Amino acid sequence: MLRSLEELRGYKIEAQDGDIGKIHGFFFNDHIWAVIYLVVDTGSWLPGRKVLISPQVVGQPDFVSQKIPVTLTRDKIRNSPGIETDRPVSRQKEIELHDYYQWPYYWAGLSVPEWHPEIIPPPIPSKKSKTELEMEARMKGEFDPHLRSTREVVGYRIAATDDEIGHVEDFIADDEVWDLRYLVVDTRNWLPGKKVLVSPAWVKQIIWEEKKVHIDLTTDQVQKSPEYDPTQPVNREYEGALYDFYGRPKYWE
């Protein structure tokens, strides 16, 4: 089923032997457009700590009780490698996390789960600012430039081929395979009150430094596209109308 990621924020994560906290956000890969990690705020259980959970261990959400089960124990999560989730996640930390849980390396391909990429050694302490260090780390490949937080991207401006048309408000994901199906675009700065959906397939590029998402649609197309109602589920009938309007091939065919 297609679900709003903003709606899922705050859902409880239930381990095999009890709750561990609530969803704080998500990390996604903008190359394959899929959720890579759920970011869980462990609250009073592990004060001041957030942990990353792979969709590989996530079960079907219970939308009535607003809980999502995971096939992990509280002890397993408690002893997992610590990762700072308020900054880019280093590849070295991802390797530690995946090795600890014995999760396949998504960046290496599931066909070769035993292959280990070269581990980049920790950087030498520096007096440079956090921003300068992160930019240098990205240039050296220490951080995956395609791994991004949904909380970071919400608010990014949307640029059509001829003008800006609004900003990213949310993401719509398939809660079974955790693929990102749509960006929710709020056009109220240009079309008061209207929200529309844009497929990642229609995104040309994201310029992170400018906090801007470029799409290969015109403002006129977006203005006339089927309106998205966040109070209603995204069903196949609506999706069909959306793809037919844009004349684009449907991802499910």
Side-chain angles (χ1 to χ4, degrees):
M1 183 176 290
L2 299 185
R3 290 282 176 176
S4 155
L5 291 187
E6 284 296 300
E7 175 190 341
L8 293 179
R9 280 181 57 196
Y11 271 40
K12 291 183 179 180
I13 296 296
E14 192 171 55
Q16 293 172 320
D17 51 357
D19 292 344
I20 65 167
K22 297 181 178 181
I23 294 180
H24 175 75
F26 304 85
F27 278 109
F28 73 99
N29 182 291
D30 76 326
H31 181 66
I32 61 175
W33 289 99
V35 172
I36 302 300
Y37 304 112
L38 286 69
V39 183
V40 182
D41 187 335
T42 58
S44 59
W45 178 54
L46 298 174
R49 187 175 173 191
K50 296 182 179 68
V51 296
L52 300 184
I53 301 294
S54 168
Q56 298 173 63
V57 297
V58 171
Q60 183 62 36
D62 184 333
F63 299 108
V64 176
S65 63
Q66 296 190 345
K67 289 186 176 183
I68 299 179
V70 296
T71 57
L72 299 171
T73 64
R74 286 161 63 94
D75 276 347
K76 190 70 173 178
I77 295 167
R78 180 188 290 111
N79 297 319
S80 64
I83 294 179
E84 295 182 58
T85 60
D86 60 347
R87 60 185 300 173
V89 180
S90 73
R91 183 47 53 81
Q92 182 173 341
K93 284 296 184 181
E94 285 194 274
I95 291 172
E96 291 178 19
L97 186 70
H98 283 250
D99 283 351
Y100 173 78
Y101 283 116
Q102 296 186 326
W103 294 336
Y105 298 146
Y106 68 89
W107 59 88
L110 299 181
S111 61
V112 283
E114 296 182 357
W115 177 76
H116 283 58
E118 179 183 0
I119 298 178
I120 300 173
I124 298 174
S126 169
K127 294 183 180 180
K128 294 181 180 180
S129 70
K130 174 181 172 182
T131 300
E132 289 176 320
L133 289 172
E134 289 178 357
M135 288 298 293
E136 288 183 2
R138 287 192 187 282
M139 293 295 291
K140 295 176 183 177
E142 293 175 10
F143 297 122
D144 181 354
H146 296 289
L147 188 66
R148 295 286 174 165
S149 165
T150 56
R151 292 173 65 96
E152 172 195 351
V153 179
V154 167
Y156 275 27
R157 292 172 293 160
I158 297 289
T161 56
D162 53 348
D163 201 357
E164 290 189 10
I165 59 173
H167 65 271
V168 178
E169 184 178 79
D170 195 359
F171 294 86
I172 304 295
D174 184 322
D175 63 22
E176 292 185 0
V177 296
W178 293 95
D179 286 341
L180 294 182
R181 297 300 186 196
Y182 301 102
L183 289 75
V184 179
V185 179
D186 187 335
T187 64
R188 65 172 177 261
N189 296 332
W190 179 66
L191 301 172
K194 185 172 183 177
K195 293 181 175 61
V196 298
L197 297 185
V198 171
S199 167
W202 311 334
V203 173
K204 293 195 297 184
Q205 64 174 330
I206 302 176
I207 302 180
W208 302 107
E209 295 78 13
E210 298 179 5
K211 297 185 177 182
K212 187 181 293 186
V213 180
H214 290 261
I215 59 177
D216 64 349
L217 304 171
T218 67
T219 53
D220 184 62
Q221 285 178 304
V222 175
Q223 182 179 22
K224 296 175 181 177
S225 67
E227 185 170 358
Y228 166 64
D229 182 354
T231 66
Q232 300 297 319
V234 178
N235 54 35
R236 189 48 53 84
E237 180 181 359
Y238 173 84
E239 289 187 283
L242 185 71
Y243 277 81
D244 287 343
F245 172 80
Y246 285 118
R248 303 297 176 95
K250 301 177 177 68
Y251 68 84
W252 59 89
E253 292 183 348

